[in-house]
Amino acid sequence: MANLVYKRVSTDQQSTGRQNLVLDEAGIEDPVVFEETAGTSSRLHPLERPKFAELLAYARPGDTVHISEMFRLVRGTGHILDVLDVLHRDQVALRIHDGAFSAMDLTARHPRTGELLSTVKFMVQTLAAAGELQRDLQRELTYDGLRAAEAKGNKSGRRPAVPADKSDAVRTAYLEGRSIAALARDHGVSRSAIRTAVADLLPEHTATEQDTPAPELPVTLDMPGKIADFLRTTELEPAERAALDQGVTVRRGQGYTLRVSAVPAVHHRLLARCQPLDGAQGVPAIPAQRKARREYENRVNALTPPRP
């Protein structure tokens, strides 16, 4: 019986360090590791992920799948139940070593019907919903924190590679004839970092800055939940999909809105994707969806018109 270890991180900026610590402390004997490519999204169904599919093909009855915490494998309730059904079919056990699910036997079945025990299903659904709520709250708090910082004049994003206290010295040295390559060696940074620090002093900057239009800045709009649900089932361009995936869910009564940050051109393209909600080709429109589309249209049209 083999011990199959599954690891995943959501972005290529993350590492499996915490997962490794939890799994090492578990003392798993002779682990066979399956690790997804960095950046494999949790939105992708586990059964469609390359390495998890490889793990299932490798597994044999009696094997055990080990993960550090449930949300490394699944995102929502539907994903959990789908995975448990497949593991039960293949007679493979699941062992979670950290988090709320670590004390539960998620593979427990009714001795006569063979179905997942109702108490297990209830706990899985409850804990999964609590996990989703926690992530939504974290995104909302992050968004509110960024807005508060911006209101105080603080800029978000990556810090410059050349610290502010050294920027003046770098600029002075460049004006005195020091090359970008030499400055990069002196300060132990890349040439692009030096170019960023002296961007307004570069010869090409003066020649082109008046001919180059200012870049569009992201604008945050609240998108009705019915619009977001429709767009998630629509084929989108990468920039449109990224804006939708990074949106922050805000609960409002029985429904929700998705707080989307994107340049005006992307907002206009997303609005255009919603045109079918007004009814098309003899298909009657659903009043609630049509109303939601018009609300979103009013917000988008208040922005600067998209560039030609």
Side-chain angles (χ1 to χ4, degrees):
M1 295 184 291
N3 290 310
L4 315 179
V5 172
Y6 179 76
K7 302 178 186 179
R8 183 191 63 81
V9 291
S10 298
T11 74
D12 55 10
Q13 303 299 317
Q14 297 174 321
S15 74
T16 56
R18 182 180 179 280
Q19 297 174 65
N20 294 338
L21 177 62
V22 171
L23 294 168
D24 288 346
E25 289 177 346
I28 302 170
E29 295 183 2
D30 301 322
V32 181
V33 179
F34 297 84
E35 182 174 339
E36 298 287 359
T37 302
T40 301
S41 173
S42 60
R43 295 180 184 274
L44 183 63
H45 197 292
L47 301 179
E48 297 175 0
R49 295 178 198 153
K51 285 299 180 180
F52 191 65
E54 185 178 325
L55 180 151
L56 292 176
Y58 181 91
R60 296 293 181 269
D63 290 352
T64 301
V65 176
H66 298 264
I67 54 176
S68 60
E69 55 188 343
M70 177 60 85
F71 296 108
R72 294 299 173 186
L73 176 60
V74 296
R75 178 178 177 84
T77 308
H79 288 187
I80 295 175
L81 298 178
D82 288 346
V83 169
L84 292 180
D85 283 342
V86 171
L87 294 179
H88 173 68
R89 179 199 68 194
D90 296 344
Q91 301 179 45
V92 176
L94 175 63
R95 181 76 172 88
I96 303 164
H97 294 277
D98 195 20
F101 292 95
S102 59
M104 297 175 58
D105 179 9
L106 298 180
T107 57
R109 300 274 167 165
H110 193 282
R112 289 185 294 277
T113 66
E115 296 180 353
L116 194 67
L117 288 178
S118 57
T119 52
V120 172
K121 184 180 293 187
F122 172 77
M123 289 301 298
V124 165
Q125 293 171 335
T126 301
L127 291 173
E132 291 177 357
L133 174 62
Q134 181 184 24
R135 289 195 299 275
D136 287 343
L137 290 174
Q138 286 175 339
R139 285 196 294 268
E140 291 177 19
L141 291 172
T142 299
Y143 174 80
D144 291 341
L146 290 173
R147 291 293 299 273
E150 290 173 0
K152 293 180 180 179
N154 298 327
K155 294 182 178 180
S156 60
R158 185 180 298 177
R159 294 182 179 180
V162 178
D165 58 347
K166 294 183 179 180
S167 178
D168 288 343
V170 169
R171 292 166 62 83
T172 299
Y174 177 76
L175 290 172
E176 292 175 350
R178 191 78 170 155
S179 71
I180 288 178
L183 287 169
R185 289 194 300 271
D186 293 344
H187 294 274
V189 297
S190 67
R191 296 185 185 186
S192 62
I194 298 297
R195 283 186 172 274
T196 299
V198 300
D200 59 322
L201 304 178
L202 296 172
E204 61 266 26
H205 176 83
T206 304
T208 62
E209 73 176 340
Q210 294 186 357
D211 298 330
T212 304
E216 289 186 312
L217 297 177
V219 178
T220 301
L221 291 182
D222 282 352
M223 176 187 292
K226 288 181 172 57
I227 300 299
D229 292 341
F230 172 78
L231 289 173
R232 288 192 177 101
T233 65
T234 304
E235 185 175 349
L236 302 175
E237 295 179 1
E240 298 165 4
R241 178 66 63 186
L244 200 67
D245 289 346
Q246 294 169 12
V248 177
T249 300
V250 180
R251 300 292 174 186
R252 299 192 187 284
Q254 298 299 317
Y256 77 99
T257 62
L258 190 69
R259 191 158 288 163
V260 178
S261 294
V263 297
V266 170
H267 281 298
H268 281 278
R269 293 204 299 269
L270 289 173
L271 174 63
R273 305 281 188 190
C274 302
Q275 189 62 41
L277 296 181
D278 273 351
Q281 298 180 351
V283 179
I286 299 175
Q289 290 182 331
R290 182 169 55 189
K291 179 181 177 181
R293 198 200 77 82
R294 290 180 178 175
E295 288 179 2
Y296 184 50
E297 180 179 33
N298 291 336
R299 295 168 188 168
V300 173
N301 286 343
L303 302 174
T304 303
R307 295 177 183 173

